[in-house]
Amino acid sequence: QKEVEQNSGPLSVPEGAIASLNCTYSDRGSQSFFWYRQYSGKSPELIMSIYSNGDKEDGRFTAQLNKASQYVSLLIRDSQPSDSATYLCAVFTSGTYKYIFGTGTRLKVLA
Amino acid sequence: DAGVTQSPTHLIKTRGQQVTLRCSPKSGHDTVSWYQQALGQGPQFIFQYYEEEERQRGNFPDRFSGHQFPNYSSELNVNALLLGDSALYLCASSWDLATEAFFGQGTRLTVV
């Protein structure tokens, strides 16, 4: 089992729809969770961080964390073609002091 | 406020050579982490520097080494380059490994 798993996609959604991106992690001791967006050929750009169970909203983005299910998700409302990118989930675990990225989910927003 | 800067942006080296990549962290950050990202993969953690010392290391061989200077800038050195070392090398700065990391634009290394 991979430490951080994401569906590689591509996930295709029409413009204006909600895109839902999922990430699961294996270490129950993980405590910090991050979503990054990476355009092709560019470096990752931080979108959101979340540290406690529940939802965290920032503009069109909502991160959701469920530690009991070891699951973190990112919702993108009113998706735009400019949101088309690879979305990386990253998890930090203090016990092992590891910061691990998933392989990313490629999102395509269709105009 | 300058973000994280890396140099060079692109580099072509021959197998067996050595390479040095450089990174200046975002203002106010004292922790620098290095990642290797192969095509189609997520970034893989190489190591992290804090207070001029290597604090954590991922599963990379000793051919990969680094340094952090008193101004918090950092270098990544790779010796005896292999074809498999071809990748995008990313530097990220933060206040701590547990917090949000901000990435530089990366150095694309090609080993031929």
Side-chain angles (χ1 to χ4, degrees), chain A residues 32 34 36 38 41-46 48-49 51 56 88 92 96-99 101-103, chain B residues 35 37 40-43 45 48 55-56 88 90 96-106:
Chain A
S32 305
F34 309 91
Y36 291 85
Q38 187 173 28
K42 303 294 185 182
S43 62
E45 172 193 10
L46 179 71
M48 292 190 71
S49 58
Y51 302 96
K56 179 180 177 182
L88 297 162
F92 174 76
T96 56
Y97 218 78
K98 284 186 178 181
Y99 196 108
F101 281 83
T103 54
Chain B
Y35 295 84
Q37 187 175 25
Q41 300 297 314
F45 176 69
Q48 182 196 52
R55 186 160 68 168
Q56 283 295 320
L88 180 66
L90 296 162
D96 184 86
L97 188 60
T99 61
E100 300 162 342
F102 294 85
F103 285 85
Q105 78 276 25

Side-chain angles (χ1 to χ4, degrees), chain B residues 45-107:
Chain B
F45 176 69
I46 302 175
F47 42 54
Q48 182 196 52
Y49 277 84
Y50 172 71
E51 291 190 344
E52 302 179 52
E53 290 194 359
E54 183 182 292
R55 186 160 68 168
Q56 283 295 320
R57 188 178 184 93
N59 295 326
F60 279 81
D62 292 344
R63 298 187 297 109
F64 290 78
S65 63
H67 189 77
Q68 186 178 35
F69 299 94
N71 66 354
Y72 307 124
S73 67
S74 177
E75 287 182 350
L76 163 66
N77 300 293
V78 186
N79 294 322
L81 284 166
L82 303 173
L83 296 179
D85 295 331
S86 296
L88 180 66
Y89 287 84
L90 296 162
C91 168
S93 75
S94 60
W95 291 282
D96 184 86
L97 188 60
T99 61
E100 300 162 342
F102 294 85
F103 285 85
Q105 78 276 25
T107 294

Side-chain angles (χ1 to χ4, degrees), chain A residues 3-71:
Chain A
E3 292 174 281
V4 178
E5 291 205 61
Q6 295 181 257
N7 188 317
S8 61
L11 171 67
S12 295
V13 299
E15 183 176 357
I18 296 175
S20 178
L21 304 160
N22 304 318
C23 172
T24 58
Y25 58 95
S26 61
D27 193 328
R28 282 198 171 274
S30 299
Q31 61 205 107
S32 305
F33 307 87
F34 309 91
W35 283 100
Y36 291 85
R37 176 175 62 198
Q38 187 173 28
Y39 292 110
S40 181
K42 303 294 185 182
S43 62
E45 172 193 10
L46 179 71
I47 299 174
M48 292 190 71
S49 58
I50 186 165
Y51 302 96
S52 55
N53 279 329
D55 295 0
K56 179 180 177 182
E57 187 174 317
D58 184 359
R60 296 187 297 113
F61 299 97
T62 298
Q64 299 176 317
L65 175 61
N66 183 325
K67 290 186 177 180
S69 300
Q70 295 174 239
Y71 176 95

